[in-house]
Amino acid sequence: MYKANLEEDPNMSMRSMRQIISKNMGIGESTVHRTINEYKESCTVTSPKRKRVRENVFHLYDDFSRNAVGRHVHNIWFRREIPTIDKKVSDDKSLPAISRTNLFKLIKDLDFRYCKRSRNSALTEKNEIVVWRRRYLRAIREYREQGRHIYYLDETWVNAGECPNKVCVDSTIQSHRDAFLKGLTAGAPAPSGKGKRHIVLHIGSEDGFVPGGLLCFESKKNSWDYHDEKNGQTFYDWMENILPQLRDNCVIVTDSVNHSVKKDKSPTSSTRKAEIIKWLEDKGEVVDYTMVIPELLEIVKRIKPLHNKYVIDELAKASNKTILRLPPYHCELNPIELAWSSIKNQGIERVDQVMWKNFIQYTIKEEKFFWEIDNIVDEVLAAETSNLTLTITGDTSSDSESESD
């Protein structure tokens, strides 16, 4: 309307212009005035966001910072001390600035919990995470002993508007810990909103990045979490093209969340009863038809881990290749995370075979660290329980002797 009115009367005053537009469109004059001024200055008009997306604490810290918090808890255990929010974790000044309340939320989101042992409460990981990690560490150790070639797959994002023409590269950074202690990051920082964001997917091994394995596309969603960006069919097509380029009988390590579209989805509370029964019978279960839906879903919950099949896993299996999934919140076990850091500073071409071998050697050290941590946690908690038992027994003996006298 502004352009049409201007063509009709190039000398129309701003006051008359905003009055006409306001009357015809039902928009306040101040809004019309502000919008026209913005157009004159920038030749564009931004659309007002009616709903403001409020970022929570998990959006303020990238994956690297979140894992730094988890790693700090592990380091406390490694010193054979019992970690707590108040006495051990929140006092560390090297961690990202965060309130106690938000730190507790973050710890909980990382699947840590308070475990009551003896007279103390200790921060321990959920049993499912520990079991998953032990299973992963055993599997990858076995694959290496078998001489199978291991590839690492992951994605990240970059802001096109923030890519510098020249960068200063710190060649002394050898690990996630080095980067963290120097105030740097081995992962992507929280998005600033500057420029177009691109999702980047790649795969590599000790031979370097796989030629032709780079997948890059523009992010379309106004979302903090880039993990929901990949279209399932796009990733499937990419995997179909990349599998023939990988070594036969190889292992592909990927994270636990992405690339996990199930081939056979298990029933949920919204599934019809007849469909739940059919799913159970197809899995060889004998179903009591007098059961109600909650009872049937209990059986589903019990057996579905035995029948989880993923589309990508089946595709890889058909090519004589194996998918191995990392436990959640363990990016330090994926050497491609360190490769991402180097890529954003130097470019893909400069991340060569030598660098990849160094990244993998560092990751193997991390695997040994986590393997030892689980044993230490068991030892420390067992010692705490034993000490409490001795204390209680000693106090009881003293009381008995006093009563006897």
mmCIF file of all heavy atoms in Angstrom, residues 269-310:
data_model
loop_
_atom_site.group_PDB
_atom_site.id
_atom_site.type_symbol
_atom_site.label_atom_id
_atom_site.label_comp_id
_atom_site.label_asym_id
_atom_site.label_seq_id
_atom_site.Cartn_x
_atom_site.Cartn_y
_atom_site.Cartn_z
ATOM 1 N N SER A 269 0.532 -45.979 24.418
ATOM 2 C CA SER A 269 -0.787 -45.874 25.063
ATOM 3 C C SER A 269 -1.869 -45.424 24.097
ATOM 4 O O SER A 269 -3.060 -45.598 24.363
ATOM 5 C CB SER A 269 -0.710 -44.911 26.255
ATOM 6 O OG SER A 269 -0.235 -43.640 25.826
ATOM 7 N N SER A 270 -1.473 -44.822 22.977
ATOM 8 C CA SER A 270 -2.460 -44.368 21.988
ATOM 9 C C SER A 270 -2.769 -45.440 20.933
ATOM 10 O O SER A 270 -3.616 -45.231 20.065
ATOM 11 C CB SER A 270 -1.968 -43.102 21.292
ATOM 12 O OG SER A 270 -0.752 -43.341 20.607
ATOM 13 N N THR A 271 -2.077 -46.582 21.020
ATOM 14 C CA THR A 271 -2.295 -47.667 20.064
ATOM 15 C C THR A 271 -3.554 -48.454 20.419
ATOM 16 O O THR A 271 -3.831 -48.690 21.601
ATOM 17 C CB THR A 271 -1.084 -48.616 20.037
ATOM 18 O OG1 THR A 271 0.113 -47.871 19.822
ATOM 19 C CG2 THR A 271 -1.230 -49.658 18.946
ATOM 20 N N ARG A 272 -4.278 -48.847 19.397
ATOM 21 C CA ARG A 272 -5.508 -49.617 19.647
ATOM 22 C C ARG A 272 -5.158 -50.979 20.242
ATOM 23 O O ARG A 272 -4.106 -51.567 19.944
ATOM 24 C CB ARG A 272 -6.284 -49.797 18.341
ATOM 25 C CG ARG A 272 -6.828 -48.490 17.777
ATOM 26 C CD ARG A 272 -7.324 -48.671 16.355
ATOM 27 N NE ARG A 272 -8.298 -49.752 16.265
ATOM 28 C CZ ARG A 272 -8.784 -50.221 15.114
ATOM 29 N NH1 ARG A 272 -8.351 -49.704 13.963
ATOM 30 N NH2 ARG A 272 -9.671 -51.195 15.103
ATOM 31 N N LYS A 273 -6.064 -51.499 21.066
ATOM 32 C CA LYS A 273 -5.821 -52.750 21.780
ATOM 33 C C LYS A 273 -5.551 -53.894 20.815
ATOM 34 O O LYS A 273 -4.633 -54.706 21.031
ATOM 35 C CB LYS A 273 -7.022 -53.074 22.673
ATOM 36 C CG LYS A 273 -6.828 -54.334 23.520
ATOM 37 C CD LYS A 273 -7.992 -54.542 24.474
ATOM 38 C CE LYS A 273 -7.772 -55.786 25.326
ATOM 39 N NZ LYS A 273 -8.895 -55.989 26.286
ATOM 40 N N ALA A 274 -6.324 -53.971 19.739
ATOM 41 C CA ALA A 274 -6.155 -55.058 18.778
ATOM 42 C C ALA A 274 -4.762 -55.019 18.144
ATOM 43 O O ALA A 274 -4.137 -56.067 17.902
ATOM 44 C CB ALA A 274 -7.232 -54.978 17.698
ATOM 45 N N GLU A 275 -4.253 -53.816 17.905
ATOM 46 C CA GLU A 275 -2.932 -53.674 17.303
ATOM 47 C C GLU A 275 -1.827 -54.052 18.290
ATOM 48 O O GLU A 275 -0.795 -54.609 17.899
ATOM 49 C CB GLU A 275 -2.739 -52.237 16.813
ATOM 50 C CG GLU A 275 -3.680 -51.861 15.668
ATOM 51 C CD GLU A 275 -3.568 -50.397 15.285
ATOM 52 O OE1 GLU A 275 -2.778 -49.678 15.945
ATOM 53 O OE2 GLU A 275 -4.262 -49.974 14.353
ATOM 54 N N ILE A 276 -2.050 -53.748 19.570
ATOM 55 C CA ILE A 276 -1.072 -54.141 20.599
ATOM 56 C C ILE A 276 -0.990 -55.665 20.681
ATOM 57 O O ILE A 276 0.098 -56.247 20.725
ATOM 58 C CB ILE A 276 -1.450 -53.558 21.973
ATOM 59 C CG1 ILE A 276 -1.486 -52.026 21.920
ATOM 60 C CG2 ILE A 276 -0.461 -54.022 23.037
ATOM 61 C CD1 ILE A 276 -1.948 -51.373 23.209
ATOM 62 N N ILE A 277 -2.149 -56.295 20.687
ATOM 63 C CA ILE A 277 -2.192 -57.765 20.772
ATOM 64 C C ILE A 277 -1.497 -58.383 19.560
ATOM 65 O O ILE A 277 -0.709 -59.335 19.691
ATOM 66 C CB ILE A 277 -3.659 -58.249 20.872
ATOM 67 C CG1 ILE A 277 -4.254 -57.825 22.222
ATOM 68 C CG2 ILE A 277 -3.739 -59.764 20.699
ATOM 69 C CD1 ILE A 277 -5.730 -58.150 22.372
ATOM 70 N N LYS A 278 -1.763 -57.838 18.377
ATOM 71 C CA LYS A 278 -1.129 -58.370 17.161
ATOM 72 C C LYS A 278 0.384 -58.204 17.224
ATOM 73 O O LYS A 278 1.141 -59.115 16.845
ATOM 74 C CB LYS A 278 -1.681 -57.653 15.927
ATOM 75 C CG LYS A 278 -1.133 -58.192 14.608
ATOM 76 C CD LYS A 278 -1.715 -57.456 13.421
ATOM 77 C CE LYS A 278 -1.232 -58.079 12.101
ATOM 78 N NZ LYS A 278 0.238 -58.173 12.008
ATOM 79 N N TRP A 279 0.864 -57.036 17.712
ATOM 80 C CA TRP A 279 2.304 -56.795 17.828
ATOM 81 C C TRP A 279 2.933 -57.823 18.755
ATOM 82 O O TRP A 279 4.003 -58.366 18.462
ATOM 83 C CB TRP A 279 2.541 -55.380 18.339
ATOM 84 C CG TRP A 279 3.981 -54.953 18.320
ATOM 85 C CD1 TRP A 279 4.654 -54.348 17.316
ATOM 86 C CD2 TRP A 279 4.939 -55.106 19.400
ATOM 87 N NE1 TRP A 279 5.956 -54.105 17.666
ATOM 88 C CE2 TRP A 279 6.156 -54.554 18.933
ATOM 89 C CE3 TRP A 279 4.875 -55.644 20.675
ATOM 90 C CZ2 TRP A 279 7.307 -54.538 19.722
ATOM 91 C CZ3 TRP A 279 6.024 -55.627 21.467
ATOM 92 C CH2 TRP A 279 7.223 -55.072 20.991
ATOM 93 N N LEU A 280 2.280 -58.087 19.874
ATOM 94 C CA LEU A 280 2.806 -59.055 20.838
ATOM 95 C C LEU A 280 2.815 -60.468 20.256
ATOM 96 O O LEU A 280 3.795 -61.216 20.426
ATOM 97 C CB LEU A 280 1.975 -59.018 22.126
ATOM 98 C CG LEU A 280 2.133 -57.756 22.986
ATOM 99 C CD1 LEU A 280 1.091 -57.734 24.091
ATOM 100 C CD2 LEU A 280 3.536 -57.685 23.578
ATOM 101 N N GLU A 281 1.753 -60.845 19.582
ATOM 102 C CA GLU A 281 1.678 -62.196 19.012
ATOM 103 C C GLU A 281 2.696 -62.380 17.887
ATOM 104 O O GLU A 281 3.256 -63.468 17.725
ATOM 105 C CB GLU A 281 0.262 -62.461 18.502
ATOM 106 C CG GLU A 281 -0.758 -62.606 19.636
ATOM 107 C CD GLU A 281 -2.169 -62.851 19.132
ATOM 108 O OE1 GLU A 281 -2.455 -62.504 17.967
ATOM 109 O OE2 GLU A 281 -2.976 -63.391 19.915
ATOM 110 N N ASP A 282 2.947 -61.316 17.121
ATOM 111 C CA ASP A 282 3.968 -61.389 16.071
ATOM 112 C C ASP A 282 5.350 -61.618 16.659
ATOM 113 O O ASP A 282 6.248 -62.130 15.971
ATOM 114 C CB ASP A 282 3.974 -60.096 15.252
ATOM 115 C CG ASP A 282 2.756 -59.969 14.356
ATOM 116 O OD1 ASP A 282 2.062 -60.988 14.150
ATOM 117 O OD2 ASP A 282 2.486 -58.841 13.876
ATOM 118 N N LYS A 283 5.534 -61.214 17.935
ATOM 119 C CA LYS A 283 6.829 -61.397 18.600
ATOM 120 C C LYS A 283 6.893 -62.723 19.362
ATOM 121 O O LYS A 283 7.832 -62.986 20.099
ATOM 122 C CB LYS A 283 7.080 -60.240 19.595
ATOM 123 C CG LYS A 283 7.077 -58.861 18.944
ATOM 124 C CD LYS A 283 8.170 -58.722 17.919
ATOM 125 C CE LYS A 283 8.205 -57.338 17.285
ATOM 126 N NZ LYS A 283 7.070 -57.099 16.377
ATOM 127 N N GLY A 284 5.835 -63.548 19.196
ATOM 128 C CA GLY A 284 5.837 -64.870 19.821
ATOM 129 C C GLY A 284 5.275 -64.907 21.226
ATOM 130 O O GLY A 284 5.412 -65.929 21.917
ATOM 131 N N GLU A 285 4.645 -63.828 21.679
ATOM 132 C CA GLU A 285 4.076 -63.786 23.021
ATOM 133 C C GLU A 285 2.674 -64.417 23.032
ATOM 134 O O GLU A 285 1.885 -64.232 22.100
ATOM 135 C CB GLU A 285 3.974 -62.347 23.520
ATOM 136 C CG GLU A 285 5.309 -61.683 23.785
ATOM 137 C CD GLU A 285 6.041 -62.305 24.959
ATOM 138 O OE1 GLU A 285 5.390 -62.526 26.008
ATOM 139 O OE2 GLU A 285 7.245 -62.569 24.835
ATOM 140 N N VAL A 286 2.392 -65.161 24.082
ATOM 141 C CA VAL A 286 1.056 -65.713 24.290
ATOM 142 C C VAL A 286 0.252 -64.690 25.077
ATOM 143 O O VAL A 286 0.601 -64.358 26.209
ATOM 144 C CB VAL A 286 1.101 -67.058 25.034
ATOM 145 C CG1 VAL A 286 -0.307 -67.579 25.267
ATOM 146 C CG2 VAL A 286 1.931 -68.073 24.262
ATOM 147 N N VAL A 287 -0.826 -64.179 24.497
ATOM 148 C CA VAL A 287 -1.574 -63.070 25.081
ATOM 149 C C VAL A 287 -2.858 -63.568 25.726
ATOM 150 O O VAL A 287 -3.611 -64.358 25.139
ATOM 151 C CB VAL A 287 -1.908 -62.012 24.000
ATOM 152 C CG1 VAL A 287 -2.713 -60.864 24.605
ATOM 153 C CG2 VAL A 287 -0.631 -61.488 23.361
ATOM 154 N N ASP A 288 -3.100 -63.119 26.954
ATOM 155 C CA ASP A 288 -4.362 -63.365 27.648
ATOM 156 C C ASP A 288 -5.336 -62.272 27.233
ATOM 157 O O ASP A 288 -5.139 -61.102 27.544
ATOM 158 C CB ASP A 288 -4.124 -63.336 29.160
ATOM 159 C CG ASP A 288 -5.391 -63.617 29.946
ATOM 160 O OD1 ASP A 288 -6.476 -63.727 29.328
ATOM 161 O OD2 ASP A 288 -5.301 -63.720 31.181
ATOM 162 N N TYR A 289 -6.379 -62.649 26.509
ATOM 163 C CA TYR A 289 -7.293 -61.654 25.931
ATOM 164 C C TYR A 289 -8.123 -60.934 26.988
ATOM 165 O O TYR A 289 -8.841 -59.991 26.680
ATOM 166 C CB TYR A 289 -8.210 -62.326 24.903
ATOM 167 C CG TYR A 289 -7.515 -62.592 23.584
ATOM 168 C CD1 TYR A 289 -6.650 -63.678 23.443
ATOM 169 C CD2 TYR A 289 -7.700 -61.753 22.508
ATOM 170 C CE1 TYR A 289 -6.000 -63.914 22.250
ATOM 171 C CE2 TYR A 289 -7.050 -61.979 21.294
ATOM 172 C CZ TYR A 289 -6.194 -63.065 21.177
ATOM 173 O OH TYR A 289 -5.542 -63.292 19.987
ATOM 174 N N THR A 290 -8.043 -61.385 28.238
ATOM 175 C CA THR A 290 -8.771 -60.671 29.296
ATOM 176 C C THR A 290 -7.974 -59.475 29.807
ATOM 177 O O THR A 290 -8.485 -58.670 30.583
ATOM 178 C CB THR A 290 -9.074 -61.613 30.469
ATOM 179 O OG1 THR A 290 -7.833 -62.052 31.063
ATOM 180 C CG2 THR A 290 -9.879 -62.820 30.006
ATOM 181 N N MET A 291 -6.715 -59.356 29.373
ATOM 182 C CA MET A 291 -5.875 -58.244 29.824
ATOM 183 C C MET A 291 -6.369 -56.927 29.242
ATOM 184 O O MET A 291 -6.842 -56.863 28.105
ATOM 185 C CB MET A 291 -4.417 -58.465 29.404
ATOM 186 C CG MET A 291 -3.681 -59.534 30.164
ATOM 187 S SD MET A 291 -1.942 -59.616 29.621
ATOM 188 C CE MET A 291 -1.286 -60.789 30.824
ATOM 189 N N VAL A 292 -6.215 -55.867 30.038
ATOM 190 C CA VAL A 292 -6.542 -54.525 29.567
ATOM 191 C C VAL A 292 -5.276 -53.887 29.006
ATOM 192 O O VAL A 292 -4.166 -54.424 29.140
ATOM 193 C CB VAL A 292 -7.138 -53.662 30.701
ATOM 194 C CG1 VAL A 292 -8.471 -54.229 31.145
ATOM 195 C CG2 VAL A 292 -6.167 -53.563 31.871
ATOM 196 N N ILE A 293 -5.418 -52.718 28.379
ATOM 197 C CA ILE A 293 -4.296 -52.071 27.687
ATOM 198 C C ILE A 293 -3.084 -51.833 28.594
ATOM 199 O O ILE A 293 -1.952 -52.129 28.202
ATOM 200 C CB ILE A 293 -4.764 -50.759 27.016
ATOM 201 C CG1 ILE A 293 -5.664 -51.085 25.820
ATOM 202 C CG2 ILE A 293 -3.573 -49.905 26.583
ATOM 203 C CD1 ILE A 293 -6.196 -49.871 25.088
ATOM 204 N N PRO A 294 -3.243 -51.298 29.831
ATOM 205 C CA PRO A 294 -2.071 -51.095 30.686
ATOM 206 C C PRO A 294 -1.305 -52.393 30.940
ATOM 207 O O PRO A 294 -0.063 -52.373 31.006
ATOM 208 C CB PRO A 294 -2.661 -50.533 31.981
ATOM 209 C CG PRO A 294 -3.908 -49.838 31.537
ATOM 210 C CD PRO A 294 -4.459 -50.685 30.447
ATOM 211 N N GLU A 295 -2.011 -53.528 31.068
ATOM 212 C CA GLU A 295 -1.327 -54.812 31.290
ATOM 213 C C GLU A 295 -0.565 -55.234 30.036
ATOM 214 O O GLU A 295 0.564 -55.738 30.118
ATOM 215 C CB GLU A 295 -2.349 -55.889 31.665
ATOM 216 C CG GLU A 295 -2.987 -55.681 33.033
ATOM 217 C CD GLU A 295 -4.047 -56.733 33.331
ATOM 218 O OE1 GLU A 295 -4.998 -56.862 32.535
ATOM 219 O OE2 GLU A 295 -3.916 -57.437 34.353
ATOM 220 N N LEU A 296 -1.168 -55.018 28.884
ATOM 221 C CA LEU A 296 -0.504 -55.375 27.631
ATOM 222 C C LEU A 296 0.738 -54.520 27.407
ATOM 223 O O LEU A 296 1.779 -55.012 26.943
ATOM 224 C CB LEU A 296 -1.485 -55.203 26.465
ATOM 225 C CG LEU A 296 -2.696 -56.145 26.447
ATOM 226 C CD1 LEU A 296 -3.678 -55.719 25.369
ATOM 227 C CD2 LEU A 296 -2.258 -57.586 26.233
ATOM 228 N N LEU A 297 0.635 -53.242 27.756
ATOM 229 C CA LEU A 297 1.782 -52.345 27.569
ATOM 230 C C LEU A 297 2.939 -52.686 28.502
ATOM 231 O O LEU A 297 4.099 -52.403 28.192
ATOM 232 C CB LEU A 297 1.355 -50.887 27.766
ATOM 233 C CG LEU A 297 0.448 -50.302 26.674
ATOM 234 C CD1 LEU A 297 0.019 -48.888 27.027
ATOM 235 C CD2 LEU A 297 1.153 -50.316 25.319
ATOM 236 N N GLU A 298 2.629 -53.273 29.641
ATOM 237 C CA GLU A 298 3.690 -53.743 30.542
ATOM 238 C C GLU A 298 4.514 -54.828 29.866
ATOM 239 O O GLU A 298 5.740 -54.878 29.999
ATOM 240 C CB GLU A 298 3.091 -54.271 31.852
ATOM 241 C CG GLU A 298 2.841 -53.199 32.905
ATOM 242 C CD GLU A 298 4.142 -52.537 33.351
ATOM 243 O OE1 GLU A 298 5.096 -53.266 33.685
ATOM 244 O OE2 GLU A 298 4.201 -51.300 33.360
ATOM 245 N N ILE A 299 3.835 -55.720 29.139
ATOM 246 C CA ILE A 299 4.546 -56.771 28.408
ATOM 247 C C ILE A 299 5.377 -56.147 27.287
ATOM 248 O O ILE A 299 6.520 -56.534 27.045
ATOM 249 C CB ILE A 299 3.556 -57.801 27.831
ATOM 250 C CG1 ILE A 299 2.704 -58.407 28.958
ATOM 251 C CG2 ILE A 299 4.303 -58.903 27.093
ATOM 252 C CD1 ILE A 299 1.641 -59.374 28.460
ATOM 253 N N VAL A 300 4.792 -55.156 26.601
ATOM 254 C CA VAL A 300 5.510 -54.456 25.532
ATOM 255 C C VAL A 300 6.786 -53.830 26.074
ATOM 256 O O VAL A 300 7.860 -53.947 25.483
ATOM 257 C CB VAL A 300 4.613 -53.374 24.885
ATOM 258 C CG1 VAL A 300 5.431 -52.509 23.930
ATOM 259 C CG2 VAL A 300 3.439 -54.010 24.153
ATOM 260 N N LYS A 301 6.664 -53.163 27.215
ATOM 261 C CA LYS A 301 7.820 -52.503 27.828
ATOM 262 C C LYS A 301 8.920 -53.505 28.163
ATOM 263 O O LYS A 301 10.113 -53.211 28.024
ATOM 264 C CB LYS A 301 7.373 -51.766 29.089
ATOM 265 C CG LYS A 301 8.486 -51.002 29.781
ATOM 266 C CD LYS A 301 7.952 -50.280 31.014
ATOM 267 C CE LYS A 301 9.060 -49.541 31.741
ATOM 268 N NZ LYS A 301 8.545 -48.834 32.943
ATOM 269 N N ARG A 302 8.512 -54.697 28.584
ATOM 270 C CA ARG A 302 9.481 -55.718 28.998
ATOM 271 C C ARG A 302 10.231 -56.311 27.808
ATOM 272 O O ARG A 302 11.438 -56.565 27.902
ATOM 273 C CB ARG A 302 8.766 -56.829 29.770
ATOM 274 C CG ARG A 302 9.651 -58.014 30.131
ATOM 275 C CD ARG A 302 8.936 -58.974 31.038
ATOM 276 N NE ARG A 302 7.687 -59.439 30.487
ATOM 277 C CZ ARG A 302 7.572 -60.442 29.598
ATOM 278 N NH1 ARG A 302 8.657 -61.056 29.167
ATOM 279 N NH2 ARG A 302 6.391 -60.830 29.159
ATOM 280 N N ILE A 303 9.550 -56.515 26.682
ATOM 281 C CA ILE A 303 10.180 -57.242 25.581
ATOM 282 C C ILE A 303 10.679 -56.359 24.437
ATOM 283 O O ILE A 303 11.461 -56.822 23.608
ATOM 284 C CB ILE A 303 9.212 -58.300 24.995
ATOM 285 C CG1 ILE A 303 8.072 -57.619 24.227
ATOM 286 C CG2 ILE A 303 8.691 -59.221 26.071
ATOM 287 C CD1 ILE A 303 7.225 -58.576 23.418
ATOM 288 N N LYS A 304 10.263 -55.073 24.401
ATOM 289 C CA LYS A 304 10.625 -54.271 23.226
ATOM 290 C C LYS A 304 12.130 -54.052 23.058
ATOM 291 O O LYS A 304 12.602 -53.944 21.914
ATOM 292 C CB LYS A 304 9.883 -52.933 23.231
ATOM 293 C CG LYS A 304 10.312 -51.934 24.272
ATOM 294 C CD LYS A 304 9.503 -50.638 24.105
ATOM 295 C CE LYS A 304 9.928 -49.579 25.114
ATOM 296 N NZ LYS A 304 9.134 -48.337 24.955
ATOM 297 N N PRO A 305 12.955 -54.004 24.148
ATOM 298 C CA PRO A 305 14.401 -53.884 23.912
ATOM 299 C C PRO A 305 14.982 -55.057 23.127
ATOM 300 O O PRO A 305 16.008 -54.921 22.472
ATOM 301 C CB PRO A 305 14.980 -53.823 25.333
ATOM 302 C CG PRO A 305 13.863 -53.306 26.179
ATOM 303 C CD PRO A 305 12.637 -53.911 25.590
ATOM 304 N N LEU A 306 14.302 -56.218 23.201
ATOM 305 C CA LEU A 306 14.777 -57.403 22.497
ATOM 306 C C LEU A 306 14.439 -57.365 21.011
ATOM 307 O O LEU A 306 15.005 -58.119 20.215
ATOM 308 C CB LEU A 306 14.171 -58.662 23.120
ATOM 309 C CG LEU A 306 14.389 -58.865 24.621
ATOM 310 C CD1 LEU A 306 13.635 -60.107 25.101
ATOM 311 C CD2 LEU A 306 15.884 -59.004 24.925
ATOM 312 N N HIS A 307 13.504 -56.474 20.646
ATOM 313 C CA HIS A 307 13.018 -56.450 19.268
ATOM 314 C C HIS A 307 13.249 -55.115 18.572
ATOM 315 O O HIS A 307 12.682 -54.871 17.510
ATOM 316 C CB HIS A 307 11.523 -56.787 19.244
ATOM 317 C CG HIS A 307 11.197 -58.141 19.818
ATOM 318 N ND1 HIS A 307 11.353 -59.297 19.102
ATOM 319 C CD2 HIS A 307 10.753 -58.506 21.044
ATOM 320 C CE1 HIS A 307 10.998 -60.337 19.849
ATOM 321 N NE2 HIS A 307 10.636 -59.880 21.034
ATOM 322 N N ASN A 308 14.059 -54.246 19.184
ATOM 323 C CA ASN A 308 14.337 -52.955 18.555
ATOM 324 C C ASN A 308 15.179 -53.143 17.302
ATOM 325 O O ASN A 308 16.294 -53.672 17.357
ATOM 326 C CB ASN A 308 15.079 -52.030 19.529
ATOM 327 C CG ASN A 308 14.129 -51.319 20.466
ATOM 328 O OD1 ASN A 308 12.941 -51.216 20.191
ATOM 329 N ND2 ASN A 308 14.647 -50.827 21.578
ATOM 330 N N LYS A 309 14.633 -52.746 16.193
ATOM 331 C CA LYS A 309 15.362 -52.772 14.932
ATOM 332 C C LYS A 309 15.244 -51.405 14.287
ATOM 333 O O LYS A 309 14.166 -50.829 14.239
ATOM 334 C CB LYS A 309 14.814 -53.856 13.997
ATOM 335 C CG LYS A 309 15.095 -55.281 14.463
ATOM 336 C CD LYS A 309 14.631 -56.296 13.432
ATOM 337 C CE LYS A 309 14.953 -57.714 13.880
ATOM 338 N NZ LYS A 309 14.510 -58.720 12.886
ATOM 339 N N TYR A 310 16.380 -50.902 13.806
ATOM 340 C CA TYR A 310 16.399 -49.579 13.205
ATOM 341 C C TYR A 310 16.651 -49.681 11.708
ATOM 342 O O TYR A 310 17.373 -50.572 11.242
ATOM 343 C CB TYR A 310 17.463 -48.708 13.873
ATOM 344 C CG TYR A 310 17.229 -48.501 15.341
ATOM 345 C CD1 TYR A 310 17.856 -49.313 16.294
ATOM 346 C CD2 TYR A 310 16.367 -47.509 15.794
ATOM 347 C CE1 TYR A 310 17.631 -49.123 17.650
ATOM 348 C CE2 TYR A 310 16.148 -47.325 17.153
ATOM 349 C CZ TYR A 310 16.780 -48.135 18.069
ATOM 350 O OH TYR A 310 16.547 -47.950 19.409
#
